[in-house]
Amino acid sequence: MADGEASGAYREFKALTEAADRKYARARDVPLYGGGDHHSRKAFKAYTRLWRAQQERRRELVAGGLRRWEIGEVASRIGQLYYARYLRTAEPRSLVGAYVFYEAIYSRGYFSAAAQAGGGDKHQGLLIRYKELRFIARFLVVAMLMRRAEAVDHLVGRLRSLVEETKSAYPKTNFKEWKQVLQELGRFLKADGAYKGSRSLRYDNLFDSFPSNLASIARFHSKRVLKLKEAVLTSYHRNEVKFTELTLDTFRMLQCLEWEPTGSYQINAKELTENGTVSDQSGPSGLIDIHLSAEISDGNLPSNPQKAIIYHPTVSHLLAVLATICEDLSQDNILLIYLSASGFTEQSINCQKYASSSSSYARVTSMYPVDKPNSNIRSDNHLWLGPRGSGGPNNLYPEDLIPFTRYPLFLVIDSENSHAFKVIHNSEKGEPAALLLSPRIASAMPGAESMGNGSQFTYFLTAPMQAFCQLAGITSEIDSDTYANAENKLLSALEQYEGILCTSVGLNNVWGQILPDPFLRRLILRFIFCRAVIFYFHPDENGEHLPTCLPSLPESVSPNSEAIKAPILMLAENLVVSDQFHFRHSIHNNKK
C-alpha cells in the first residue's frame, strides 16, 4: 500500500473526527431535559460515519498512523452519547449500549496499551493516562447503574492501581483530585453495598406487583388517573455521599423510578457484553455494532418516566428546569419533584445537626435558630442550595414551588425543614399536590451516624429493607437466608398495606388518582411502612421523628392500626430486633 494513500486515508479520518467532535460538543452542552435531542442524533450520525470509516479502511488507517487510543477515544465518545441518551430518555437499552462500548474499550486496552507504549513522550503518555482515568470513572457509573457488582469491584481495583502507577510514573504531577475521587468512591460503594443480598431498587413486577390487589386498584380507573411522566431529582448536602456528579440519594431515587428488565432482556445484554469482550482483541477494533442498542428491547415493559437529574443546582437553575419541563406536561401526567437538601446554612451547620435517638429530644425552638440575631424570620422555612454563605439566592422557599401547582405535582421533600412545605397544601394554583415530607429529626441507634448511608427518608422510600436493618442496628454480616426471609415478610406487609389503602373509605382523590401508577403507589406504600416503623422506634409523642404526608392518608393505614403494626412486629421478631421497638406504645391522636 502506498504511503500516500495511507496518509490520505488517515487525514480523511482526522477530518471526520474533528467534525464529529464539534457535533459532540454541541450535544454535550445541551441540557438533558426538554428539547435538544436533535443535537444528539446529529452526533450519533457523525460517529456512525466515523466508526464505519475505521471499520472499512482499518489497514490503511493503521499504516497511515492511526493509534489505538484514538479508536478508544471514538468508542468512548459513543459510549458517552449512549449514556447521555439514557439520562435524557430513561431508555435502558441506551444504558446497555454505553456499557457494551465501555467494556469493549476496557477489555481491549485501548488507553492502557497506548499509555505504556508512550515511549519518551512523557506529555503524550500523561494525557492518555488522564483519558484512561476519566474513562474508568465513567465506566464505573454505568456499571453501578447496571448493578454489575463484579465489574464494579474490578474497575475499582484498576482505578486505584492506575492512580498509584501514574503517581509513580509522573511524580511531579499533582493527583490530589484523583485521591479525592477514590475517597468519594469508597464512601459511595460502602453505603450502596451495605447489604449484599439486597434486591434491585428498580420496580420488579415479580416482587412489587401484587395480583391479589389488582381488582381494588382497577376501581380507580373509572375516574381521572395520572401517570408519572417526568421527574426532577436533586440533592444538595454538605459532604454528602457521592461519586462524580451522582449523589447517593439521587442514585437510589433514579433506580427506584425505573422498571427492572426482564430475564430475556438481561440475557441479551450479557451476550452482547461477552461478544464485545472476546472479539477482535488485537487490532484497532471496529467490530462493535454502533446500532446494537436499537436491537435490545424489552417489549414486556412500558417506558420509564423521564428524569432530570440536577447536580447541586442554584435555586434559579432548579426553577428554570421545572418551568421547562412543566411546559410539556399534559393534564393526564404528573411531575415528581424530589428535593433532598439541608435547611442549614454553612454558618449554622456546625451547631445544627440531625439528632440521634441517644440524645434528649430537643425543642424545636433550640434546633432552628434565626438567621440574624435581630430578625423575626426563622431559618427553618426553606431549603439551602448553596456551597457557602447564607441566605439570599441560595434559599429555596415553599412559595417558589407554588406556581408549578398549575400542574399535577408529587413532591418528596427530604430535609429537616421539610415541614415548611406544608404551606403548599391548600395553596395550589390549579391542581392539588401530593406531598411526602421527611421527619424533622432523623432516627438512629445510639452512637450511629444516620447520614452514613445517605438520607434516611430516601433510604426507606427506595430500599426499605436495608433502611429497616440500618435503623435497627443490623449489620451487613446478616445471614443471606435470614435477610431473604425478611424481605419476603416485608413484601407481604406491603401487599397487605396496598389492599387496605385501596379499599379504604374516604381516601382523598389526590391519592386515588395516582394510586394506579406503579411507581407512585410503591412510594406511598413505603411511606406508610417508614412512618409506622419510626413510630414504634421512638417513644416520644411530639412527632419530630415522624414523616408526614398531605393530604392525610386514611386512618386505616396510620401507625396505630393493628393491621399496620402486626407485620412490622413480625418482621422485627424474625430479625430478633423487636427489643429495639416500642410495640406497646400507642398514640391514638396521630392522624398524619
Side-chain angles (χ1 to χ4, degrees):
M1 183 182 300
D3 290 343
E5 291 182 16
S7 298
Y10 184 55
R11 283 195 300 272
E12 183 181 343
F13 179 82
K14 293 293 288 184
L16 289 173
T17 302
E18 292 172 3
D21 288 347
R22 288 192 294 270
K23 291 181 173 61
Y24 172 83
R26 284 193 287 270
R28 180 192 56 199
D29 293 340
V30 174
L32 295 172
Y33 54 86
D37 193 40
H38 62 283
H39 289 292
S40 175
R41 289 195 295 270
K42 286 183 177 180
F44 260 112
K45 185 176 180 180
Y47 279 103
T48 299
R49 184 181 178 190
L50 182 62
W51 197 253
R52 286 174 178 167
Q54 65 85 27
Q55 281 181 317
E56 295 166 358
R57 308 182 68 180
R58 192 183 317 167
R59 290 188 178 182
E60 295 175 68
L61 292 170
V62 171
L66 180 67
R67 291 158 291 185
R68 288 182 62 80
W69 69 264
E70 291 179 282
I71 293 294
E73 184 77 354
V74 172
S76 179
R77 288 287 173 84
I78 295 171
Q80 291 174 62
L81 285 170
Y82 272 127
Y83 180 63
R85 178 181 285 178
Y86 162 71
L87 293 179
R88 182 185 297 279
T89 65
E91 292 178 354
R93 62 186 184 183
S94 295
L95 185 64
V96 174
Y99 186 91
V100 171
F101 265 85
Y102 284 162
E103 187 184 52
I105 295 166
Y106 182 78
S107 64
R108 297 169 190 181
Y110 289 129
F111 294 119
S112 58
Q116 294 168 4
D121 192 345
K122 297 278 275 186
H123 179 68
Q124 176 78 357
L126 180 60
L127 289 179
I128 297 173
R129 281 292 176 90
Y130 275 128
K131 289 179 183 294
E132 185 175 9
L133 286 168
R134 289 192 294 269
F135 156 70
I136 293 178
R138 294 188 188 104
F139 191 5
L140 266 167
V141 171
V142 172
M144 287 189 294
L145 286 168
M146 292 278 291
R147 312 305 295 185
R148 300 295 175 95
E150 291 184 5
V152 169
D153 290 343
H154 182 79
L155 289 169
V156 170
R158 176 55 187 157
L159 185 62
R160 293 187 187 280
S161 63
L162 184 61
V163 171
E164 293 302 319
E165 291 171 12
T166 311
K167 281 168 55 182
S168 299
Y170 305 93
K172 295 182 180 180
T173 304
N174 188 347
F175 284 93
K176 183 178 179 180
E177 177 185 357
W178 284 101
K179 290 181 181 178
Q180 183 178 350
V181 168
L182 289 174
Q183 291 173 353
E184 290 180 348
L185 178 61
R187 290 182 66 207
F188 192 102
L189 293 177
K190 181 181 179 181
D192 182 50
Y195 299 95
K196 295 292 185 182
S198 302
R199 292 193 298 107
S200 167
L201 303 189
R202 293 180 169 90
Y203 191 103
D204 192 332
N205 270 322
L206 185 62
F207 299 102
D208 297 308
S209 179
F210 307 119
S212 62
N213 296 325
L214 292 179
S216 300
I217 296 171
R219 73 185 180 92
F220 294 106
H221 287 276
S222 62
K223 300 179 180 179
R224 184 191 186 194
V225 171
L226 296 175
K227 180 181 179 181
L228 179 60
K229 179 68 174 178
E230 302 270 1
V232 175
L233 314 178
T234 189
S235 65
Y236 205 140
H237 292 276
R238 186 174 181 266
N239 297 326
E240 65 186 322
V241 180
K242 70 181 187 70
F243 179 58
T244 62
E245 293 189 350
L246 189 63
T247 68
L248 181 61
D249 287 341
T250 53
F251 175 73
R252 285 172 171 162
M253 190 59 72
L254 164 68
Q255 296 174 80
C256 183
L257 300 177
E258 291 185 349
W259 296 96
E260 176 70 8
T262 62
S264 59
Y265 177 93
Q266 293 171 326
I267 291 171
N268 288 338
K270 183 178 180 182
E271 288 172 350
L272 284 165
T273 301
E274 291 172 349
N275 290 337
T277 302
V278 301
S279 61
D280 194 29
Q281 296 285 335
S282 58
S285 175
L287 299 184
I288 317 171
D289 182 3
I290 197 170
H291 293 299
L292 56 88
S293 75
E295 299 175 2
I296 306 170
S297 60
D298 198 348
N300 297 324
L301 297 176
S303 59
N304 289 322
Q306 296 185 12
K307 296 170 285 292
I309 303 167
I310 315 172
Y311 176 72
H312 287 184
T314 62
V315 172
S316 58
H317 181 205
L318 175 62
L319 297 179
V321 172
L322 292 175
T324 300
I325 291 176
C326 282
E327 283 184 0
D328 297 327
L329 196 68
S330 74
Q331 290 300 309
D332 292 328
N333 293 325
I334 189 169
L335 169 65
L336 184 148
I337 301 175
Y338 167 78
L339 301 176
S340 176
S342 175
F344 300 138
T345 65
E346 187 181 57
Q347 293 178 357
S348 61
I349 197 85
N350 292 327
C351 60
Q352 308 285 341
K353 293 182 179 180
Y354 265 109
S356 73
S357 62
S358 61
S359 66
S360 61
Y361 302 124
R363 292 170 54 195
V364 176
T365 52
S366 66
M367 289 187 58
Y368 300 101
V370 296
D371 286 330
K372 299 178 183 178
N374 298 322
S375 172
N376 291 322
I377 302 175
R378 301 187 61 80
S379 65
D380 59 350
N381 64 345
H382 61 264
L383 304 185
W384 185 55
L385 305 181
R388 60 184 62 87
S390 65
N394 292 330
N395 294 345
L396 177 72
Y397 296 92
E399 292 80 3
D400 293 327
L401 299 181
I402 289 179
F404 302 106
T405 59
R406 292 175 173 85
Y407 306 89
L409 296 184
F410 188 101
L411 295 174
V412 180
I413 310 295
D414 193 346
S415 172
E416 60 274 88
N417 284 352
S418 62
H419 65 284
F421 288 77
K422 291 180 180 180
V423 302
I424 294 177
H425 182 56
N426 290 331
S427 299
E428 296 94 339
K429 296 299 183 182
E431 293 280 353
L435 290 87
L436 300 184
L437 307 176
S438 72
R440 296 191 68 180
I441 305 174
S443 303
M445 292 290 291
E449 174 53 58
S450 62
M451 289 297 290
N453 289 306
S455 296
Q456 187 179 73
F457 185 55
T458 299
Y459 207 9
F460 265 102
L461 294 181
T462 58
M465 190 67 252
Q466 297 179 48
F468 181 90
C469 290
Q470 184 259 338
L471 177 64
I474 300 172
T475 69
S476 58
E477 304 301 321
I478 182 174
D479 177 73
S480 58
D481 291 337
T482 302
Y483 188 88
N485 186 43
E487 278 206 320
N488 290 332
K489 292 188 180 300
L490 172 60
L491 290 173
S492 297
L494 295 177
E495 180 178 12
Q496 184 175 342
Y497 295 172
E498 182 181 80
I500 296 171
L501 180 62
C502 292
T503 56
S504 294
V505 177
L507 178 67
N508 193 294
N509 189 53
V510 171
W511 303 112
Q513 64 188 2
I514 61 178
L515 276 177
D517 185 275
F519 297 111
L520 300 182
R521 184 171 66 252
R522 188 170 68 158
L523 287 175
I524 296 168
L525 296 177
R526 290 174 172 182
F527 169 86
I528 294 170
F529 173 75
C530 170
R531 182 176 61 174
V533 167
I534 295 176
F535 176 82
Y536 289 106
F537 186 78
H538 281 288
D540 66 316
E541 300 186 9
N542 59 23
E544 291 295 301
H545 293 84
L546 289 181
T548 58
C549 65
L550 291 169
S552 298
L553 288 168
E555 185 68 20
S556 57
V557 292
S558 73
N560 287 306
S561 170
E562 185 64 29
I564 301 301
K565 170 187 172 182
I568 297 174
L569 173 59
M570 187 181 300
L571 178 63
E573 288 176 343
N574 178 259
L575 294 171
V576 198
V577 291
S578 57
D579 60 329
Q580 304 293 343
F581 296 86
H582 304 266
F583 287 110
R584 293 184 180 180
H585 178 64
S586 179
I587 303 175
H588 294 291
N589 62 357
N590 183 62
K591 303 218 178 198
K592 290 187 179 180

